Amino acid sequence: MASRLSTTSYALLSLLVLDRETTELGMTGYELKQRADRTLRFYWVSPAMSQIYTELERLDRHAFVSSVEVEDGKRTTRRFAITAAGREALDEWLRTSSTEFPVLKHPIALRLMLGGLMGPDAIKEMLDEYLEQVAERRAELEAVRVMLGDRDEVKYPAQVAEWGLAFFDSEVATAERIRKSLD
Amino acid sequence: MASRLSTTSYALLSLLVLDRETTELGMTGYELKQRADRTLRFYWVSPAMSQIYTELERLDRHAFVSSVEVEDGKRTTRRFAITAAGREALDEWLRTSSTEFPVLKHPIALRLMLGGLMGPDAIKEMLDEYLEQVAERRAELEAVRVMLGDRDEVKYPAQVAEWGLAFFDSEVATAERIRKSLD
DNA sequence: TGTAGCATGTAAGCCGTTACATGATTGA
DNA sequence: TCAATCATGTAACGGCTTACATGCTACA
């Protein structure tokens, strides 16, 4: 039974299990991508569309999702929902697989290491741009957090969102501190 | 001239440029891996040994590094040092390529999202284990920070280390907050 | 009528990992 | 002498991206 999928595969399965708690119809690949863009991206990755469809195909082969052709207004779309076997697979993954340590790929820190080659002005510019980008992303995530509210069914997703917000706040604090130290 | 390498390739080149500021001899692939394990891993990745050698081969083909067979005690090792062309390539990369936004792959947050499937006890266990691991890593990075001291030649690497420490501190704060909220 | 968004895929190729293979040197 | 560490690679393969291809639908 322990046919291990990639973490990304389980991540998509997770989105489908959360979806199932609120709706009946399942999701299209397209919708799954939108959901990943809004949430998953902040603490994992948002896979490319092509990747989403490939993973859904794989999950379908494992019978972890069911795919149904649905009349969606005028066109027919393929909607995916997690199956009992899928929920079990997710559960087994949670229970038996070891939890990896987070990986942070931080191009700004990487470049800052070469501050000697960049010079203070270029560093400040880079940090300022980063601060702007963080502010944007933070606002997007904050919107997600607000939308979740304090409903009990989504308390864990809400905590994850808060974790992401705390990360951004920490990033802002550090970037600003370093920026100031350059004057 | 703009033959773009992967970011990891530039990251290794960065380690070599910093090495050159303190020593003359260059580094072996093995030493480069150790250096990456100690520092790069905290804000980028530490590539596998095989990857290191592959990248060094590539950098050599571009003439961004020079490789010299050196009598190293009793055995002959291959030592790599960055070239003028390599320094220029690194400089051009810093000036002309766009800085990507950081990517955080956070398996603990990913699993926390499924808190409903895990249950409070399993979550607490996961967070406790994470806190332990963070403490370990933080200690390793702190040791690096201490070793760098306040020498001006390494002030940027020192700031990067501090950035990493701040990240870990933020992680501890968040994990502890969530842990407490479960009681 | 045309463009933006919805929707679904295939193909080529890069990046990086694990597994495999080999051998020298140091120190317990 | 035996294990750990130093040292250097090749081969197979997985995961994921970009580019390419196609077509429908809503709406301005």
Side-chain angles (χ1 to χ4, degrees), chain A:
Chain A
M1 199 74 314
S3 55
R4 277 288 142 73
L5 305 170
S6 69
T7 304
T8 295
S9 221
Y10 287 109
L12 293 178
L13 209 48
S14 301
L15 294 185
L16 286 171
V17 84
L18 293 177
D19 172 67
R20 221 31 198 320
E21 282 168 17
T22 48
T23 66
E24 304 273 293
L25 331 86
M27 304 171 83
T28 67
Y30 193 89
E31 286 167 353
L32 202 53
K33 168 64 173 166
Q34 291 181 316
R35 182 66 61 95
D37 278 343
R38 272 201 324 117
T39 64
L40 199 59
R41 131 171 93 116
F42 292 106
Y43 49 91
W44 189 248
V45 288
S46 188
M49 284 272 23
S50 61
Q51 173 76 354
I52 301 258
Y53 286 111
T54 304
E55 293 298 344
L56 284 172
E57 204 55 61
R58 192 198 316 272
L59 290 170
D60 198 16
R61 279 203 305 279
H62 283 271
F64 292 164
V65 300
S66 63
S67 89
V68 190
E69 306 266 306
V70 175
E71 303 287 302
D72 193 4
K74 281 181 180 166
R75 94 177 84 182
T76 307
T77 59
R78 205 175 162 196
R79 293 199 159 265
F80 297 87
I82 192 168
T83 61
R87 206 163 290 172
E88 222 170 293
L90 201 53
D91 211 64
E92 202 211 322
W93 174 69
L94 282 175
R95 282 197 325 272
T96 67
S97 79
S98 66
T99 305
E100 305 292 320
F101 197 81
V103 172
L104 178 61
K105 287 189 167 196
H106 204 309
I108 294 93
L110 179 60
R111 282 158 183 259
L112 177 61
M113 186 179 74
L114 298 172
L117 300 192
M118 292 182 71
D121 289 344
I123 298 173
K124 282 179 202 168
E125 210 179 306
M126 177 178 74
L127 290 175
D128 286 339
E129 199 195 325
Y130 180 50
L131 284 165
E132 274 176 47
Q133 289 175 349
V134 172
E136 270 175 54
R137 304 260 180 149
R138 198 200 182 282
E140 285 164 23
L141 186 52
E142 176 71 36
V144 172
R145 176 64 193 89
V146 167
M147 207 206 48
L148 290 172
D150 60 351
R151 285 172 293 152
D152 204 57
E153 325 92 75
V154 288
K155 77 170 168 185
Y156 292 111
Q159 275 176 331
V160 172
E162 280 173 27
W163 198 325
L165 291 171
F167 167 69
F168 284 146
D169 291 341
S170 164
E171 286 293 285
V172 168
T174 304
E176 280 178 348
R177 188 177 57 67
I178 292 174
R179 222 229 98 121
K180 272 171 199 151
S181 82
L182 294 170
D183 291 326

Side-chain angles (χ1 to χ4, degrees), chain B residues 58-75:
Chain B
R58 193 199 317 273
L59 290 170
D60 198 16
R61 280 202 305 279
H62 283 271
F64 292 164
V65 301
S66 63
S67 90
V68 190
E69 306 266 308
V70 175
E71 303 287 303
D72 194 3
K74 282 183 180 165
R75 92 177 87 183

Side-chain angles (χ1 to χ4, degrees), chain B residues 119-152:
Chain B
D121 288 344
I123 298 173
K124 281 180 203 169
E125 210 179 307
M126 176 178 74
L127 291 174
D128 286 340
E129 199 194 326
Y130 180 49
L131 283 165
E132 272 177 48
Q133 289 174 349
V134 171
E136 269 176 55
R137 303 261 179 148
R138 197 199 182 284
E140 286 163 23
L141 186 52
E142 176 71 35
V144 172
R145 176 65 193 90
V146 166
M147 208 206 49
L148 291 171
D150 60 351
R151 285 173 292 152
D152 206 56

Side-chain angles (χ1 to χ4, degrees), chain B residues 40-64:
Chain B
L40 199 59
R41 130 170 94 116
F42 292 106
Y43 48 92
W44 191 249
V45 287
S46 188
M49 285 272 21
S50 61
Q51 172 78 353
I52 302 256
Y53 287 110
T54 304
E55 292 298 344
L56 284 172
E57 204 55 62
R58 193 199 317 273
L59 290 170
D60 198 16
R61 280 202 305 279
H62 283 271
F64 292 164

Side-chain angles (χ1 to χ4, degrees), chain B residues 28-31 34 49-50 53 72 75 77-78:
Chain B
T28 66
Y30 193 90
E31 286 167 353
Q34 291 181 317
M49 285 272 21
S50 61
Y53 287 110
D72 194 3
R75 92 177 87 183
T77 58
R78 206 175 161 196

